[in-house]
């Protein structure tokens, strides 16, 4: 319990030095990871069954070469692809957004630095340091969030593409 | 001399007037007159001489008198000087006597005077003085008086210090005259929190010790701070959180100079407003798209369950209708007809989505525009006023930075919304483009069997 309190306290002090923009970074990061974990879950738990189901249905068909058969095959592939690719756009967008949110933090931090300068002058660098940490910490946080997403989202993307190609290959015209 | 001139003039006039009639008689008369005049002149001189001689005796008397007076004064001076010197000695003796008589008490009076001076500074500026006015004057009397403080005054000092101490630990509510910013005065109920803050229903108050008035702040600090104050004022019992200013007003004064979010927003000026307009339009388009696409996909789902009766109110229904109209045609003709129908439907689904993407791209660019404008203005200021005062430059720099921030703030939700809307429209298009043909093929197969 004490460990949790210490953890929360360290997060709080991190947010206090980094400014409120960190909440947006945290929100984007959380959303990104929820969506990515959901995708991994779908790929490993739900998708194989769906794939086997489609393959079995295709194997059960007598006619696999007519125009109708082609259209029906396309439809099944399209439906499976849609399920496979669901939320992938949002994940990629979130990955791209993280550095932008960090940049927003940089700008708001610089605004607060200049605000301090306008009020207190440049005499005391300590007063400006708060604004500077508010400028740099969100940038770093945004970068880290984006980096954590870049690797896994591209892995996910490759997995989805592979799964799709395999599905197409396992529905031969016989 | 004058007389001589007169005579000459007389003689001349006579010579002129009576030039021809000049005779011995006239001249004799003149001679006689001159002689007479000389006699009277001599008499007069004698008389004046006599007068002067008598006056000289008087003056001598006056001189003697003045000399006597000078001597008297000099004597007095000597006497007084001696007296003064004697008094000085007596004074020094008396002072020594006084010191011996005071003994160690003398130090105490010094201490009390110093304590009064210190307490005066504290108590006059303290907000407790708003509740108990007039404590400062008595302390000032003690601190500045040359005399030995009296017992009553010492008691005043003690009471003032004790009051300050006791009140600094108390929260009390009292009525006081509040001088508004426009100069009008009104009596209001005010809560004092220790020696830290004065709080009323409208937020924090300020105690101006120079004029001894309670004044509202020029601007209340940010809402979440001043709200706790007015809430605290309304409470009567229990524990309640409130922001207090341990620096006794300095932090509050700084806080009032901080800009609010709204003020920051307006620093963006025209560029900032432009970005806001972009954001609003983009969001409205996205909202309209979401509603329309949601309705379309709901109708398409309903249509999927009822493939036999094409409904013209949705794209899938219209595609099915094409099939129903061309049941007899071969598969190639049917595909062409379907492609044509899909081509007709696509723009309706796609509409506006690229616009959102464009807005999301334009917003940061506009922010950049604001940055550049702000920097141009900053350098113009530097050209005019030099770099001496950072405060002069700060206004334009904040334009530069605020527009950048606004551009990003507008772009972020637009990007997110675009990805959501694009996902939805993509799924609708997939359904039309790739899956409708399959549905139709399934129907055709079923019918042919």
């Amino acid at each position: 319990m004490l460990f949790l309190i210490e953890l929360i306290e360290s997060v709080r002090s991190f947010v206090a030095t980094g400014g409120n923009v960190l909440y947006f970074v945290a929100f984007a990061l959380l959303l990104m990871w929820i969506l990515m974990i959901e995708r991994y879950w779908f790929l490993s738990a739900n998708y194989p069954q769906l794939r086997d189901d489609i393959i079995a249905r295709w194997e059960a068909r007598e006619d696999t070469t007519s125009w109708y058969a082609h259209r029906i095959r396309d439809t099944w592939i399209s439906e499976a692809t849609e399920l496979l690719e669901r939320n992938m756009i949002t994940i990629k967008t979130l990955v791209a957004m993280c550095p932008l949110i960090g940049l927003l933090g940089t700008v708001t931090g610089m605004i607060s630095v200049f605000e301090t300068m306008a009020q207190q002058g440049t005499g005391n660098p300590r007063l400006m340091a708060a604004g500077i940490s508010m400028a740099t910490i969100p940038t770093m946080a945004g970068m880290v969030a984006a980096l954590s997403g870049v690797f896994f989202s591209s892995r996910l993307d490759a997995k989805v593409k592979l799964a799709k190609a395999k599905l197409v290959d396992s529905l031969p015209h016989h | 001399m004058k007389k001589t001139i007169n005579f000459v003039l007389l003689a001349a006039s006579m010579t002129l007037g009576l030039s021809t009639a000049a005779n011995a008689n006239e001249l004799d008369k003149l001679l006689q007159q001159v002689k007479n005049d000389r006699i009277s002149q001599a008499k007069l001189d004698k008389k004046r001489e006599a007068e002067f001689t008598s006056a000289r005796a008087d003056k001598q008397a006056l001189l003697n008198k003045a000399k006597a007076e000078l001597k008297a004064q000099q004597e007095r001076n000597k006497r007084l000087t001696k007296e003064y010197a004697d008094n000085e000695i007596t004074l020094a003796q008396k002072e020594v006597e006084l010191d011996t008589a005071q003994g160690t008490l003398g130090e105490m009076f010094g201490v009390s005077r110093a304590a009064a001076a210190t307490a005066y500074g504290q108590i006059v500026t303290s907000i407790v003085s708003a509740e108990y006015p007039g404590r400062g004057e008595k302390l000032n009397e003690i601190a500045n008086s040359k005399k030995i403080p009296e017992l009553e005054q010492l008691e005043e000092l003690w009471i003032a210090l004790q009051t300050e101490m006791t009140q600094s630990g108390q929260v009390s509510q009292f009525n006081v005259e509040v001088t508004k910013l426009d100069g009008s005065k009104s009596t209001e109920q005010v809560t004092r929190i220790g020696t830290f803050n004065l709080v009323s229903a409208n937020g924090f108050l300020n105690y101006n010790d120079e004029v001894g008035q309670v004044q509202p702040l020029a601007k209340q600090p940010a809402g979440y701070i001043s709200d706790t104050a007015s809430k605290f004022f309304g409470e009567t019992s229990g524990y309640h959180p409130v922001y207090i200013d341990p620096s006794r007003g300095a932090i509050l004064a700084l806080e009032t100079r901080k800009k609010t979010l709204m003020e920051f927003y307006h620093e963006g000026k025209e560029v900032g407003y432009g970005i806001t307009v972009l954001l609003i339009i983009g969001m409205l388009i996205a909202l309209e798209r979401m509603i329309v696409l949601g309705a379309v996909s709901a109708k398409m789902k309903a249509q999927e369950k009822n493939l036999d009766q094409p409904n013209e109110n949705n794209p899938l229904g219209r595609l099915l209708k094409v099939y129903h109209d061309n049941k007899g045609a071969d598969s190639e003709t049917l595909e062409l007809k379907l492609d044509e129908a899909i081509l007709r439907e696509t723009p309706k689904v796609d509409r506006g989505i690229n616009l959102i993407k464009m807005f999301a791209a334009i917003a940061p660019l506009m922010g950049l525009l604001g940055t550049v404008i702000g920097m141009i203005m900053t350098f113009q200021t530097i050209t005019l006023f030099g770099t001496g005062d950072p405060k002069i430059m700060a206004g334009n720099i904040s334009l530069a930075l605020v527009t950048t921030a606004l551009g990003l703030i507008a772009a972020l939700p637009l990007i997110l919304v675009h990805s959501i809307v694009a996902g939805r429209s993509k799924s609708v298009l997939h359904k039309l483009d790739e899956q409708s043909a399959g549905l139709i093929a399934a129907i055709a197969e079923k019918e042919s069997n």
Side-chain angles (χ1 to χ4, degrees):
Chain A
M1 197 58 201
L2 199 64
F3 166 74
L4 273 181
I5 290 170
E6 271 175 21
L7 192 72
I8 289 171
E9 199 48 46
S10 69
V11 168
R12 258 170 56 108
S13 71
F14 185 67
V15 170
T17 44
N20 291 334
V21 179
L22 284 181
Y23 287 119
F24 291 101
V25 177
F27 173 72
L29 188 68
L30 190 73
L31 196 61
M32 187 168 85
W33 273 101
I34 287 174
L35 291 177
M36 285 208 291
I37 289 168
E38 188 269 337
R39 280 295 82 192
Y40 274 113
W41 179 260
F42 175 80
L43 275 175
S44 57
N46 299 356
Y47 176 67
Q49 207 196 336
L50 183 76
R51 182 191 58 201
D52 295 345
D53 193 32
I54 291 172
I55 293 170
R57 264 195 287 162
W58 181 251
E59 295 295 339
R61 274 184 71 89
E62 286 166 15
D63 164 35
T64 56
T65 48
S66 68
W67 180 82
Y68 295 121
H70 271 101
R71 293 288 84 80
I72 287 169
R73 181 173 173 269
D74 284 352
T75 302
W76 288 352
I77 292 170
S78 165
E79 275 169 358
T81 314
E82 203 175 302
L83 282 174
L84 277 172
E85 285 185 347
R86 200 178 45 183
N87 289 336
M88 281 306 286
I89 299 181
T90 315
I91 291 171
K92 280 183 195 161
T93 311
L94 283 170
V95 170
M97 267 171 70
C98 280
L100 274 182
I101 300 172
L103 186 62
L104 178 65
T106 311
V107 177
T108 51
M110 288 320 286
I111 289 176
S112 86
V113 170
F114 279 106
E115 161 95 341
T116 320
M117 262 171 70
Q119 281 181 12
Q120 318 276 333
T122 50
N124 193 347
R126 275 190 173 196
L127 290 172
M128 291 190 281
I132 292 170
S133 74
M134 269 170 71
T136 45
I137 289 180
T139 318
M140 183 197 71
M143 290 284 175
V144 171
L147 280 179
S148 82
V150 163
F151 177 73
F152 291 101
S153 77
S154 60
R155 284 279 304 136
L156 209 54
D157 209 29
K159 270 195 175 195
V160 165
K161 273 192 184 132
L162 194 69
K164 193 180 153 190
K166 271 190 181 165
L167 179 67
V168 173
D169 286 346
S170 45
L171 300 179
H173 302 288
H174 48 73
Chain B
M1 193 60 189
K2 253 187 185 166
K3 274 185 180 155
T4 328
I5 290 168
N6 278 346
F7 291 141
V8 172
L9 283 175
L10 192 64
S13 66
M14 281 178 167
T15 328
L16 282 172
L18 311 165
S19 57
T20 46
N23 49 47
N25 265 355
E26 292 282 327
L27 282 173
D28 279 349
K29 261 186 194 170
L30 187 63
L31 187 66
Q32 193 62 44
Q33 203 180 339
V34 169
K35 276 181 183 166
N36 287 347
D37 280 356
R38 202 168 70 184
I39 291 162
S40 63
Q41 189 78 38
K43 271 184 193 164
L44 209 64
D45 283 352
K46 245 185 206 144
K47 195 183 164 197
R48 279 168 66 191
E49 205 180 308
E51 268 174 17
F52 181 76
T53 324
S54 71
R56 207 175 98 186
D58 284 356
K59 293 284 183 238
Q60 188 62 48
L62 274 175
L63 181 66
N64 289 344
K65 200 179 165 192
K67 274 182 181 163
E69 205 167 313
L70 178 68
K71 206 177 175 187
Q73 289 296 342
Q74 274 171 346
E75 259 166 36
R76 186 165 165 257
N77 179 28
K78 214 181 270 174
R79 185 170 47 83
L80 284 177
T81 313
K82 193 173 172 286
E83 212 169 288
Y84 180 76
D86 288 349
N87 281 343
E88 280 286 292
I89 293 162
T90 325
L91 201 63
Q93 280 171 353
K94 290 285 174 200
E95 256 171 26
V96 172
E97 263 172 54
L98 181 67
D99 277 349
T100 359
Q102 270 184 5
T104 47
L105 274 180
E107 272 171 40
M108 197 207 79
F109 293 135
V111 168
S112 74
R113 222 169 273 155
T118 323
Y120 175 74
Q122 262 183 24
I123 281 170
V124 159
T125 54
S126 162
I127 57 169
V128 180
S129 294
E131 194 175 353
Y132 305 101
R135 296 181 302 161
E137 288 144 36
K138 287 167 189 166
L139 290 177
N140 202 19
E141 237 168 62
I142 303 170
N144 290 329
S145 80
K146 293 275 181 282
K147 285 187 288 184
I148 292 165
E150 285 162 28
L151 197 59
E152 272 172 45
Q153 286 180 314
L154 287 177
E155 272 175 0
E156 286 292 344
L157 173 62
W158 166 35
I159 288 168
L161 284 172
Q162 183 74 42
T163 313
E164 185 70 13
M165 226 183 287
T166 317
Q167 291 301 323
S168 69
Q170 281 179 357
V171 176
S172 77
Q173 206 157 51
F174 57 97
N175 285 314
V176 75
E177 192 172 67
V178 175
T179 311
K180 298 271 169 56
L181 295 173
D182 57 4
S184 65
K185 290 180 181 180
S186 63
T187 307
E188 278 181 32
Q189 203 173 32
V190 165
T191 302
R192 178 179 58 76
I193 306 164
T195 50
F196 301 115
N197 283 117
L198 286 174
V199 159
S200 80
N202 303 321
F204 290 102
L205 295 170
N206 181 26
Y207 176 66
N208 188 339
D209 55 88
E210 278 165 26
V211 284
Q213 287 175 341
V214 177
Q215 300 164 339
L217 293 178
K219 198 179 79 183
Q220 287 294 327
Y224 68 97
I225 298 175
S226 55
D227 280 355
T228 59
S230 39
K231 265 184 207 151
F232 184 84
F233 174 79
E235 302 296 348
T236 49
S237 66
Y239 294 100
H240 302 282
V242 66
Y243 279 87
I244 62 165
D245 180 1
S247 65
R248 305 178 175 204
I251 295 175
L252 262 187
L254 275 182
E255 201 62 42
T256 56
R257 280 159 69 188
K258 256 192 195 167
K259 283 182 197 142
T260 61
L261 272 184
M262 234 20 227
E263 280 172 328
F264 267 123
Y265 170 70
H266 290 297
E267 295 245 309
K269 297 197 184 134
E270 287 82 1
V271 184
Y273 303 140
I275 293 170
T276 317
V277 170
L278 268 187
L279 175 65
I280 291 170
I281 294 176
M283 281 309 211
L284 284 177
I285 292 172
L287 195 69
E288 187 260 359
R289 281 290 85 191
M290 280 217 228
I291 293 168
V292 170
L293 287 175
V296 165
S297 51
K299 276 178 196 161
M300 276 166 69
K301 272 216 179 89
Q303 184 72 69
E304 257 183 88
K305 282 176 193 148
N306 187 13
L307 290 171
D308 297 332
Q309 287 160 345
N311 193 343
E312 288 241 22
N313 70 359
N314 69 81
L316 189 62
R318 287 192 281 272
L319 285 183
L320 286 172
K321 188 138 194 311
V322 171
Y323 164 71
H324 282 286
D325 290 347
N326 300 282
K327 259 186 187 168
D330 59 310
S331 58
E332 264 180 47
T333 321
L334 185 61
E335 185 159 18
L336 280 175
K337 292 254 179 200
L338 282 176
D339 280 349
E340 197 187 336
I342 289 164
L343 223 58
R344 233 182 288 135
E345 297 294 342
T346 312
K348 284 187 215 160
V349 178
D350 251 353
R351 188 165 54 88
I353 288 164
N354 276 328
L355 208 59
I356 300 172
K357 199 177 184 180
M358 206 174 68
F359 281 180
I362 289 176
L365 281 180
M366 278 185 76
L368 187 63
L369 175 71
T371 310
V372 175
I373 292 175
M375 289 321 286
I376 290 173
M377 282 160 74
T378 306
F379 281 109
Q380 211 162 27
T381 321
I382 291 176
T383 321
L384 288 174
F385 302 108
T387 52
D389 190 357
K391 292 176 192 178
I392 295 177
M393 296 190 287
N396 295 324
I397 290 177
S398 69
L399 167 75
L401 289 171
V402 166
T403 49
T404 315
L406 282 175
L408 286 171
I409 289 169
L412 288 172
L414 283 176
I415 292 171
L416 196 65
V417 154
H418 170 260
S419 83
I420 293 167
V421 174
R424 286 201 172 187
S425 85
K426 217 175 171 185
S427 95
V428 170
L429 280 180
H430 272 172
K431 206 150 260 173
L432 288 179
D433 208 9
E434 295 166 8
Q435 295 163 23
S436 60
L439 284 174
I440 288 162
I443 302 168
E445 262 188 350
K446 216 183 275 171
E447 279 176 1
S448 64
N449 286 340

